[in-house]
Amino acid sequence: MNWEQVRKLFLEWFLSEWEEIEKDFSEKTDKLIERLREQNYQIDRQTEELLRKLAEELYHKITALITHVVNAVNKTAKLQKDALVAQVAQEIINHRWNDGLKLSERFWDFSQQAIARLKNTIVEGIRYDNGVKALMYKLQYTIEALEEQEFAVVLKEQLPKWLKEFEQSTKGLLVNAESRQAWEKIKRKVEKYVEKRSREGTYYAGRQLLKEIEEALREGKMELVDKAVKWWVYDKQLYRLKTIAWTETAHAYLKATVELTKDEEEIVGYQWRLSRSHPRADICDVYANVDYGLGRGVHPKNKLPRLPAHPHCMCYLVPVVRRKGMEEREKPIIPESALESWAPKWLKKYAEENGLSLADLFNFEEGRFLRKREIGLS
Ligand SMILES: [Zn+2]
């Protein structure tokens, strides 16, 4: 059986499925923003309901993905263990991670956070409105109090300062580069108006200027709030969702591979394959390089480390068939090279001084180096 092929199919399938989830999420976020705009940025029950439903749909999509992955391993590897498939999928869906959360709770958490973010953004929008009022009041007062000639000079000097103050008070809306760009656009527009009207320098020009600035700021608000909502609800959450989707499906893939094959007589163990996206050496380097006498990184069935090794772990397992001449060791040999790059400095020093290897100072079962107090250093 070609397990590399199964893995490749799994990856392809995940990516195409994810693309669809992403597209759907993008469309739904746009709809949400449109709705908010129509409602003059009031969050009502229906808006909250919309977000909750979105989370629910995503939950169902990801559970379907998990079931599909388990099924696919079964089918592609021609294992025909259909009864086991449902059970394995269910275990993944109900799995409680180290942070104590199950998949469904993660999505509940997602919808709560999205609602909270939305509320924050709307509060910023209200602050913006108040800022516009204050700014307009200052401007009006100034214009009315000034003579014609001064009008031009004072506005050119004062307005940038006021705008800066205004910008400060609505910082929460300028959360990302895109919002800041939109704000710069608004500012440029205001500057242009000032330039034009100050040349006219009449009371009428002053009134006209007020109107124009207010309009520019009002129009700009929509853009700023929309961009902030999109940023919080879509950009920020999508990354989180992808992590959830990936972690859960990768877990499903690992678990399905093991659960569906572990009773096969001919399977002696599982080879730990490092994912290419591992940014730096960690416990997975050890797992991928241990030597139990079954080949590099091959763990005996009954000695498989906890899966996955750490959150966001993208490593995978490949079942290994028993071959002649394989002799299983009781304890694994850990190559020093798998430990060197991530061992703490003080430990390396300690090993050198005491003529020990790093493997001597490594707790393999728990996947970590010994602590200072464990070797009597503190
Ligand atoms: Zn890993």
Side-chain angles (χ1 to χ4, degrees), residues 272 274 278 282 284 309-310 313-315:
W272 193 283
L274 264 187
H278 247 265
D282 60 18
C284 295
H310 55 84
C313 178
M314 296 189 192
C315 299

Side-chain angles (χ1 to χ4, degrees), residues 198-235:
S198 61
R199 259 185 276 134
E200 296 165 26
T202 61
Y203 179 75
Y204 173 76
R207 309 297 312 172
Q208 189 61 22
L209 176 66
L210 272 178
K211 242 171 77 191
E212 283 165 343
I213 291 183
E214 190 160 23
E215 214 163 282
L217 289 173
R218 291 250 167 267
E219 264 172 39
K221 180 200 165 181
M222 299 256 218
E223 209 179 342
L224 288 176
V225 174
D226 291 357
K227 285 199 155 77
V229 169
K230 184 136 186 157
W231 165 254
W232 287 122
V233 175
Y234 182 76
D235 297 307

Side-chain angles (χ1 to χ4, degrees), residues 25-282:
F25 191 44
S26 165
E27 278 164 14
K28 295 235 162 77
T29 315
D30 286 343
K31 268 209 193 102
L32 181 85
I33 291 171
E34 206 177 292
R35 208 192 119 78
L36 278 171
R37 207 183 250 254
E38 275 165 17
Q39 303 263 326
N40 200 23
Y41 301 99
Q42 302 268 334
I43 306 177
D44 53 4
R45 267 243 207 78
Q46 249 172 307
T47 310
E48 287 193 21
E49 204 45 47
L50 220 70
L51 271 166
R52 242 172 244 132
K53 248 209 204 115
L54 183 58
E56 218 167 90
E57 271 175 38
L58 285 164
Y59 171 71
H60 288 302
K61 280 206 175 109
I62 291 182
T63 50
L65 217 137
I66 288 169
T67 313
H68 191 99
V69 165
V70 181
N71 243 319
V73 172
N74 187 36
K75 293 242 161 61
T76 323
K78 297 192 179 66
L79 296 162
Q80 284 161 351
K81 294 183 178 173
D82 296 340
L84 245 176
V85 165
Q87 189 197 319
V88 172
Q90 210 49 48
E91 276 171 30
I92 296 289
I93 291 162
N94 291 326
H95 178 78
R96 218 172 264 284
W97 292 88
N98 285 349
D99 60 4
L101 293 181
K102 291 199 291 194
L103 186 59
S104 56
E105 291 158 346
R106 225 166 274 285
F107 277 94
W108 165 251
D109 193 49
F110 154 77
S111 78
Q112 290 304 96
Q113 278 207 30
I115 291 168
R117 287 302 192 190
L118 203 57
K119 284 186 175 158
N120 271 342
T121 308
I122 305 305
V123 166
E124 288 293 332
I126 294 167
R127 208 173 283 160
Y128 185 95
D129 285 337
N130 293 338
V132 173
K133 271 191 210 119
L135 183 64
M136 286 303 134
Y137 178 77
K138 272 188 197 163
L139 261 173
Q140 188 167 13
Y141 183 81
T142 311
I143 287 168
E144 303 218 340
L146 287 175
E147 296 290 324
E148 285 186 4
Q149 279 92 334
E150 286 171 289
F151 172 70
V153 183
V154 173
L155 276 190
K156 273 190 177 166
E157 280 170 3
Q158 291 285 19
L159 195 64
K161 206 179 87 201
W162 294 338
L163 271 179
K164 189 96 205 139
E165 267 172 41
F166 177 57
E167 181 185 320
Q168 286 291 330
S169 69
T170 54
K171 250 185 172 161
L173 285 180
L174 311 177
V175 279
N176 58 349
E178 224 190 317
S179 313
R180 285 193 293 274
Q181 258 169 26
W183 170 245
E184 289 303 320
K185 219 171 72 195
I186 300 169
K187 267 204 314 211
R188 276 201 299 278
K189 210 170 181 182
V190 170
E191 278 160 13
K192 211 179 76 198
Y193 290 142
V194 175
E195 178 59 42
K196 201 161 78 189
R197 296 298 164 210
S198 61
R199 259 185 276 134
E200 296 165 26
T202 61
Y203 179 75
Y204 173 76
R207 309 297 312 172
Q208 189 61 22
L209 176 66
L210 272 178
K211 242 171 77 191
E212 283 165 343
I213 291 183
E214 190 160 23
E215 214 163 282
L217 289 173
R218 291 250 167 267
E219 264 172 39
K221 180 200 165 181
M222 299 256 218
E223 209 179 342
L224 288 176
V225 174
D226 291 357
K227 285 199 155 77
V229 169
K230 184 136 186 157
W231 165 254
W232 287 122
V233 175
Y234 182 76
D235 297 307
K236 287 297 232 192
Q237 295 296 350
L238 194 67
Y239 174 74
R240 222 179 120 205
L241 287 172
K242 189 168 187 178
T243 311
I244 297 174
W246 173 261
T247 310
E248 299 285 349
T249 37
H251 188 201
Y253 177 79
L254 282 177
K255 185 141 181 146
T257 309
V258 175
E259 287 299 313
L260 296 172
T261 57
K262 68 178 186 198
D263 296 328
E264 307 276 310
E265 200 48 48
E266 52 164 0
I267 305 265
V268 63
Y270 299 92
Q271 185 173 44
W272 193 283
R273 299 263 175 98
L274 264 187
S275 117
R276 264 181 299 166
S277 57
H278 247 265
R280 58 192 124 77
D282 60 18

